[in-house]
Amino acid sequence: MKGGKSKADTVKTEIMLKSKGAGTGKRQSKKGAKDPNKPKRPASAFFVFMEDFRKQYAIEHPNSKAMSAVGKVGGQKWKSMSEAEKALYVDKAEKRKSEYNKNMQAYNKKLARGGNGPDEEESDKSKSEVNDEEEEEEDGE
């Protein structure tokens, strides 16, 4: 066969891929683990608008199940809105952003003080309960 791979070429390729770790189906993430306590970023003005628009659209079109249609119509409506109409949603987004900034400052202070980070786990028992159990064990011995 012209242009076909020989069996030896295929074996060499498989050996190279195995040595590089390819083909295992598992990717290693380069990012660290996410902290579940970290505040979520606030929605932009458009997404604040879409929250309200989805509710309206569901009432006006109860048979429409396609989320892509809602997004498309919502995007078109957002583009056609004037700056004055968008101002309401921009203000809501700014309020959410200021709340987020406050929460992030508190979160960063907590991390700086040595609070629970993403890798640390908080014990279910308070220190007094743990100390009480240790005293009971010492008394029982």
Side-chain angles (χ1 to χ4, degrees):
M1 282 195 298
K2 267 192 172 178
K5 289 186 176 181
S6 69
K7 197 171 192 178
D9 289 340
T10 307
V11 171
K12 286 180 186 176
T13 305
E14 288 176 4
I15 292 171
M16 287 175 54
L17 289 175
K18 286 181 183 177
S19 67
K20 291 183 179 181
T24 58
K26 297 179 185 176
R27 289 187 176 208
Q28 293 180 356
S29 131
K30 293 180 182 178
K31 296 180 182 179
K34 290 186 179 180
D35 185 2
N37 298 326
K38 186 175 181 180
K40 290 186 178 182
R41 291 179 60 194
S44 68
F46 173 70
F47 285 104
V48 173
F49 161 75
M50 284 301 292
E51 289 173 3
D52 293 339
F53 182 77
R54 282 187 196 99
K55 293 173 190 172
Q56 262 182 5
Y57 191 83
I59 293 169
E60 294 172 6
H61 302 87
N63 296 333
S64 178
K65 303 282 183 191
M67 290 303 292
S68 60
V70 177
K72 195 173 206 177
V73 174
Q76 290 171 350
K77 184 168 183 178
W78 178 258
K79 287 178 185 177
S80 67
M81 290 173 67
S82 68
E83 292 300 319
E85 293 172 321
K86 290 181 182 180
L88 172 70
Y89 300 106
V90 171
D91 290 340
K92 286 182 182 180
E94 286 177 5
K95 286 179 186 176
R96 289 184 184 186
K97 188 172 185 176
S98 66
E99 289 177 23
Y100 168 77
N101 288 334
K102 289 177 189 176
N103 291 338
M104 277 303 293
Q105 286 177 350
Y107 173 77
N108 288 332
K109 285 181 183 177
K110 184 178 176 184
L111 285 180
R113 278 188 270 134
N116 286 352
D119 296 330
E120 296 180 23
E121 290 185 26
E122 192 171 305
S123 174
D124 291 334
K125 296 184 178 182
S126 68
K127 293 191 183 268
S128 63
E129 289 176 341
V130 173
N131 289 338
D132 291 344
E133 287 179 2
E134 289 175 359
E135 290 174 2
E136 288 175 7
E137 290 175 3
E138 289 174 4
D139 293 340
E141 288 179 10

